[in-house]
Amino acid sequence: MSFSPLDRPAQFLKGVGPRRAEFLARMGIITARDLLYHVPRRYDDASTVQPIGHLDVGMDATIVGRVRTCGTIPTRSGLRIFQAVLQDDTGMITCSWPGQPWLERSLREGDVLLVTGPVKFFHGRQLQPREFTVLARGAEGEGQTADGGTIFVSYPASEDMPQWILRKLFDQNLAALLPQAEEDEYLTPLERAELSLPSLPDALGALHRPTSLTEAEEGRRRLAYDELFFLQLAQARVRWQQTLARPGIVHRRTNALIRPLLEGLPFALTDGQARVLREIVADMTLGRRMNRLLQGDVGSGKTVIALFAMLLAAEGGRQAALMAPTELLAEQHARRIRGWIAPLGVRIVLLTGGMGAAERRRGLAGLAAGDISLAVGTHALIQEGVEFHRLGLVVVDEQHRFGVRQRMVLGERDTNPDVLVMSATPIPRSLALALYGDLDLSLLDELPPGRQAVQTELRTPAQRGDVYRFVEQELELGRQAYVVFPLVDESAKVDLLSATQERDRLAREVFPHRRLGLVHGQLSSKEKERVMRDFLAGEIDLLVATTVIEVGIDVANATVMVVEHAERFGLSQLHQLRGRVGRGAAKSHCILIAEAGDVAQERLRVFRETTDGFAVARADLAIRGQGDLFGPLQSGRDPVLHHADLLRDEALLVEAQRRARAMVDMDPRLESPAQERVRGVLDHRYAERLRMFGVG
Ligand code: ADP
Ligand code: MG
């Protein structure tokens, strides 16, 4: 891309000297482009701004007024209160900021403020600002009105670069900068019309100087689309490298194994399973490589789907490997699969670190010779120089432990095996599309019929005695239970201490006649597995845990999950914990202990009523915001998504993915002249962020 005026250092803008350039740089604004894309984070509709004269005690008000007088007043208690008297055409009101005397340094007479907060009675009417913005300073603000006539905007500001200076900078520069944004426009008018999106100059104009909230929202949608599109574009390129850039295996479907499995199963596949299976079979029998994510709640029946895929590979003469994150899970998979395929005459080997040397040698020889079709194990299965005769499919269980890069390594074999990744962590579809845009997505969003829902209960710490009595009743029936604590501290030491103390206390005071076990973050994975194995074997009645217990592990005899300080867990985490029980025929219970009256209680009540993991995930996203759930997408100084909101913008995201994939399918390296703009914008605006996310 040729040099653009938007690449000029911000210092050469009007009103910016070396000092302000330095202050701007501290906010990440280096170039003119950075300033232009520094858009307001808040909009106030002037029509909802109340005249000061009409304010009444008890109202929650937003006002705009000029500071007549201001200063700090001391009180008898020693608290210092900053006060400012604000005036508009209709009257005056005192605003007071208790305990914030430092405002003396940033507010002065003549400033025009936008203030929001409750009106209280205290020596007359007083407003206690929750938020405020300096719209203008002194004479600058003569005749101050909302920026576009009806809307007040507030920029992300800093102490050195306050609101009013930023506003002034935009007053001075916006008119010149907006037309230059044409440089970044990569959508044709036709595409914009199809997407109902404004042009970039229009969008940025609307964001900085909206005439209505609707207009500001249209501007936001445009920037949201852009960041979603470029994220998807980077992921589409990864996807292309993984799937289309190499020859895929065309698996030959004979039904020699699949049909007997289908007929021999003690149940019929659900509609969801049948649909997902069709998607997988289509991928595998076509020439392009499969790189697919199968998402389904705990217990939705993913393992049997994996087995169908593995048998499809086997009946066409290839081998298939299933990798689990732990030996325990690998054993569980192997046991189940053996049960299902016993009548089919297919050979399977379980490869774990725990097996004897001779047995291992036999297994490896069978895989190398091609006599054994199916292998189950941990990921050592494909790492430690295990030779396959004709590996055609790799299934990875519980993908959340694998990042984009690791996923890419999985398929790095000369036979280009198909890859199916399975996850039991339900996340909303939009989040899955954003995080796993490099994979194709299959959703298993229903459970097999006839499952008993786990009963979820809320209890307060005061009711702990009742909870223990209930646990004891279940243990008396020969069942098992979990008690889970949140991580107390970042430091594993404190974590260990509290869990150890708690186990000791429970063992001494509450369950002296029961066998208690303990899993915590400081145990090695070997030690953890040993404890889990004892629990699985029924040698432990009650398992105290701080780490989230092995995802996917099946202890059908465990019927109670007690979660202490439940308010500290995310809803999705709680759902994972709840999924550890209810795996056998007996009725199971999940008991959440949290302080009464806590705001968190409301959240937990929502959780109690919701059994569908995807619905829980959506609620979690709505409550916690995407930042928390998003890890790699949001962390760091420059998150990948500034403007997009995954709950609101799902449709936009679907469209962004479709278009990004179509573009890469046509022109994987984006080398055609038609894609020059796209390449330029990618380099100028998104390269850094995407590199941090691992897809750049
Ligand atoms: P996931 O791996 O998704 O957590 P599993 O594959 O372990 O779920 O399946 C949970 C249980 O449901 C298993 O016992 C499995 O045999 C059973 N199952 C799977 N599909 C069906 C079905 N369509 N109808 C009834 N039971 C099913
Ligand atoms: Mg599973």
Side-chain angles (χ1 to χ4, degrees):
M1 198 186 209
S2 57
F3 181 80
S4 140
L6 288 179
D7 292 324
R8 269 171 323 178
Q11 181 170 345
F12 300 112
L13 294 169
K14 282 184 203 146
V16 185
R19 236 169 92 81
R20 284 190 178 168
E22 171 57 33
F23 294 153
L24 285 171
R26 284 187 205 157
M27 302 172 74
I29 300 172
I30 314 289
T31 64
R33 176 184 281 104
D34 295 335
L35 186 73
L36 182 57
Y37 284 93
H38 188 77
V39 299
R41 71 172 147 66
R42 186 182 145 172
Y43 297 90
D44 286 280
D45 188 339
S47 65
T48 64
V49 168
Q50 286 127 327
I52 291 177
H54 298 184
L55 298 185
D56 273 326
V57 172
M59 287 170 76
D60 201 78
T62 298
I63 59 169
V64 174
R66 182 180 296 277
V67 177
R68 278 298 147 212
T69 58
C70 61
T72 301
I73 55 166
T75 61
R76 233 173 296 148
S77 65
L79 180 71
R80 296 168 68 208
I81 303 180
F82 182 80
Q83 291 195 328
V85 175
L86 260 61
Q87 182 177 37
D88 70 5
D89 296 341
T90 63
M92 295 203 268
I93 191 167
T94 303
C95 295
S96 64
W97 285 266
Q100 299 182 48
W102 61 82
L103 285 175
E104 245 172 21
R105 283 190 309 245
S106 45
L107 293 182
R108 51 179 99 134
E109 268 170 42
D111 287 353
V112 178
L113 306 190
L114 171 74
V115 180
T116 306
V119 181
K120 302 200 166 164
F121 185 82
F122 196 77
H123 304 306
R125 294 178 314 164
Q126 259 194 15
L127 197 145
Q128 288 213 332
R130 214 176 18 252
E131 264 192 277
F132 77 95
T133 295
V134 183
L135 292 178
R137 169 129 292 174
E140 312 268 1
E142 266 335 316
Q144 176 70 33
T145 54
D147 306 83
T150 51
I151 306 292
F152 293 103
V153 304
S154 309
Y155 290 97
S158 69
E159 193 161 349
D160 300 324
M161 253 305 134
Q163 199 56 233
W164 66 273
I165 297 187
L166 281 165
R167 303 167 64 84
K168 247 180 79 180
L169 291 181
F170 283 108
D171 283 344
Q172 290 171 287
N173 292 288
L174 194 59
L177 290 176
L178 280 178
Q180 294 168 9
E182 188 54 48
E183 191 76 31
D184 288 351
E185 183 57 274
Y186 66 95
L187 293 174
T188 64
L190 178 64
E191 289 171 316
R192 294 198 301 263
E194 287 167 352
L195 292 159
S196 312
L197 292 172
S199 72
L200 260 180
D202 287 352
L204 288 163
L207 282 163
H208 287 289
R209 295 291 181 261
T211 57
S212 68
L213 292 178
T214 318
E215 204 179 282
E217 166 59 14
E218 301 214 319
R220 184 200 68 82
R221 271 189 81 238
R222 170 64 211 254
L223 294 198
Y225 178 80
D226 288 356
E227 58 190 16
L228 292 171
F229 174 80
F230 283 98
L231 173 61
Q232 288 297 328
L233 190 65
Q235 289 171 319
R237 290 164 94 180
V238 172
R239 175 174 174 268
W240 180 83
Q241 282 163 19
Q242 293 299 306
T243 59
L244 301 165
R246 327 150 172 228
I249 299 166
V250 180
H251 292 273
R252 201 159 32 84
R253 177 176 180 180
T254 68
N255 287 331
L257 295 171
I258 287 183
R259 179 153 314 131
L261 175 67
L262 197 56
E263 285 162 1
L265 283 178
F267 49 76
L269 294 185
T270 63
D271 290 347
Q273 283 173 315
R275 184 192 67 237
V276 164
L277 193 54
R278 276 197 302 275
E279 290 166 352
I280 292 170
V281 170
D283 277 357
M284 290 179 66
T285 50
L286 290 177
R288 107 185 177 43
R289 269 186 86 197
M290 174 164 73
N291 203 22
R292 186 169 282 281
L293 172 65
L294 169 54
Q295 256 209 331
D297 210 342
V298 169
S300 58
K302 295 183 295 294
T303 314
V304 75
I305 297 293
L307 178 58
F308 273 106
M310 292 167 81
L311 291 181
L312 172 60
E315 66 184 23
R318 309 269 172 172
Q319 293 166 300
L322 169 60
M323 302 196 313
T326 67
E327 290 196 2
L328 214 54
L329 280 169
E331 287 167 16
Q332 182 177 299
H333 280 314
R335 195 164 46 242
R336 256 205 236 154
I337 290 177
R338 281 203 171 103
W340 280 324
I341 61 170
L344 305 186
V346 184
R347 290 185 63 194
I348 180 171
V349 64
L350 169 67
L351 284 180
T352 65
M355 69 197 301
E359 200 187 343
R360 181 179 167 81
R361 246 195 328 273
R362 269 201 306 280
L364 289 179
L367 287 177
D371 306 335
I372 300 178
S373 302
L374 310 181
V376 178
T378 56
H379 69 297
L381 195 57
I382 62 160
Q383 285 183 339
E384 282 169 7
V386 180
E387 288 293 319
F388 285 87
H389 177 61
R390 289 182 93 201
L391 183 61
L393 170 71
V394 177
V395 183
V396 188
D397 194 15
E398 312 301 356
Q399 55 71 41
H400 62 277
R401 304 187 183 205
F402 299 93
V404 181
R405 294 227 187 279
Q406 287 150 306
R407 284 206 297 274
M408 288 168 68
V409 177
L410 284 180
E412 299 295 327
R413 301 201 143 232
D414 17 346
T415 55
N416 289 330
D418 284 324
V419 177
L420 177 66
V421 179
M422 301 198 293
S423 167
T425 314
I427 53 177
R429 190 169 89 110
S430 54
L431 190 56
L433 289 176
L435 281 174
Y436 307 114
D438 57 319
L439 303 176
D440 292 312
L441 193 60
S442 286
L443 280 191
L444 210 46
D445 47 12
E446 60 183 323
L447 294 184
R451 281 293 158 72
Q452 278 200 55
V454 174
Q455 177 143 0
T456 306
E457 302 285 356
L458 276 179
R459 293 289 179 265
T460 63
Q463 296 170 306
R464 218 175 252 131
D466 296 339
V467 174
Y468 292 149
R469 267 187 292 283
F470 178 75
V471 171
E472 175 56 29
Q473 276 173 30
E474 291 286 303
L475 298 184
E476 191 55 40
L477 292 172
R479 309 261 157 73
Q480 290 161 283
Y482 300 95
V483 177
V484 174
F485 289 83
L487 286 177
V488 177
D489 200 84
E490 289 303 313
S491 134
K493 281 223 168 53
V494 179
D495 170 26
L496 170 63
L497 184 71
S498 69
T500 311
Q501 280 172 347
E502 200 51 39
R503 195 268 317 266
D504 292 349
R505 187 184 71 82
L506 287 174
R508 217 173 34 242
E509 297 171 15
V510 190
F511 301 102
H513 51 299
R514 300 291 175 197
R515 296 162 301 177
L516 270 63
L518 176 65
V519 203
H520 57 76
Q522 285 217 317
L523 293 183
S524 69
S525 48
K526 275 266 165 296
E527 291 169 310
K528 275 185 215 161
E529 287 214 18
R530 193 168 42 73
V531 178
M532 282 312 297
R533 211 178 286 280
D534 289 349
F535 190 63
L536 188 57
E539 281 156 23
I540 292 173
D541 303 308
L542 182 71
L543 185 62
V544 177
T546 55
T547 43
V548 173
I549 306 152
E550 206 60 84
V551 170
I553 201 74
D554 239 337
V555 182
N557 192 44
T559 54
V560 191
M561 166 65 63
V562 178
V563 184
E564 290 278 358
H565 296 290
E567 75 281 356
R568 297 204 203 150
F569 290 87
L571 295 189
S572 299
Q573 249 179 324
L574 288 177
H575 187 69
Q576 283 293 337
L577 289 173
R578 180 165 61 184
R580 296 305 101 226
V581 293
R583 305 184 72 89
K587 172 117 195 111
S588 291
H589 305 264
C590 176
I591 305 173
L592 308 177
I593 300 183
E595 290 292 348
D598 200 319
V599 231
Q601 283 264 345
E602 183 51 38
R603 211 164 62 93
L604 296 178
R605 266 192 290 278
V606 172
F607 176 74
R608 182 180 57 190
E609 308 307 328
T610 316
T611 50
D612 170 10
F614 288 96
V616 168
R618 238 183 129 71
D620 213 15
L621 182 60
I623 290 166
R624 289 203 293 167
Q626 57 201 32
D628 250 22
L629 289 175
F630 231 13
L633 272 185
Q634 288 301 109
S635 62
R637 166 140 172 198
D638 197 10
V640 178
L641 301 179
H642 288 270
H643 306 286
D645 174 331
L646 291 177
L647 284 175
R648 267 151 87 195
D649 298 328
E650 181 169 327
L652 214 49
L653 175 53
V654 169
E655 194 55 28
Q657 178 170 90
R658 197 179 66 75
R659 286 170 183 263
R661 286 183 173 184
M663 184 179 287
V664 169
D665 286 353
M666 292 256 295
D667 181 5
R669 293 185 182 78
L670 306 178
E671 352 174 74
S672 77
Q675 277 6 313
E676 192 187 321
R677 280 288 171 96
V678 169
R679 270 197 327 273
V681 176
L682 192 58
D683 289 346
H684 277 91
R685 299 210 358 89
Y686 296 98
E688 191 54 35
R689 294 193 216 172
L690 292 171
R691 214 175 355 263
M692 284 178 56
F693 181 54
V695 290

